[in-house]
Amino acid sequence: IMQWGTLTLTTDGHVPVVFPTSFTNIRNVTTSVRSYDSWSGSVTVYVEDFSSTQFSVNRNNDASGYVYVYWQAVGYKAP
């Protein structure tokens, strides 16, 4: 199955995101920066870790303002 969504990062640090439906086995989680405001320099958003029920995302420690992010997760759910 494939799941996706958006999120808004407003602070630096570890941000948990819960999947709408849990996976039996998850293979990949990716993020992409959609847009940002009040920013100077480059924007980095990365997945810190993931499990069958959630993942954690983080951004640059020198960030200020909002960072809007797309995310996508791929895996499967056993019957």
Side-chain angles (χ1 to χ4, degrees):
I1 61 175
M2 182 184 298
Q3 298 185 57
W4 62 90
T6 62
L7 61 112
T8 303
L9 301 175
T10 58
T11 62
D12 298 338
H14 176 87
V15 177
V17 179
V18 176
F19 296 123
T21 301
S22 65
F23 292 91
T24 301
N25 195 321
I26 186 164
R27 295 296 186 193
N28 188 37
V29 179
T30 60
T31 58
S32 298
V33 175
R34 182 182 77 188
S35 63
Y36 51 89
D37 63 11
S38 303
W39 196 276
S40 61
S42 63
V43 177
T44 303
V45 173
Y46 55 94
V47 175
E48 293 183 311
D49 56 31
F50 58 88
S51 70
S52 63
T53 58
Q54 68 179 13
F55 70 97
S56 297
V57 67
N58 203 338
R59 68 180 197 178
N60 300 46
N61 287 332
D62 58 352
S64 62
Y66 297 102
V67 179
Y68 305 98
V69 178
Y70 294 117
W71 64 265
Q72 179 180 3
V74 177
Y76 64 87
K77 188 154 183 90

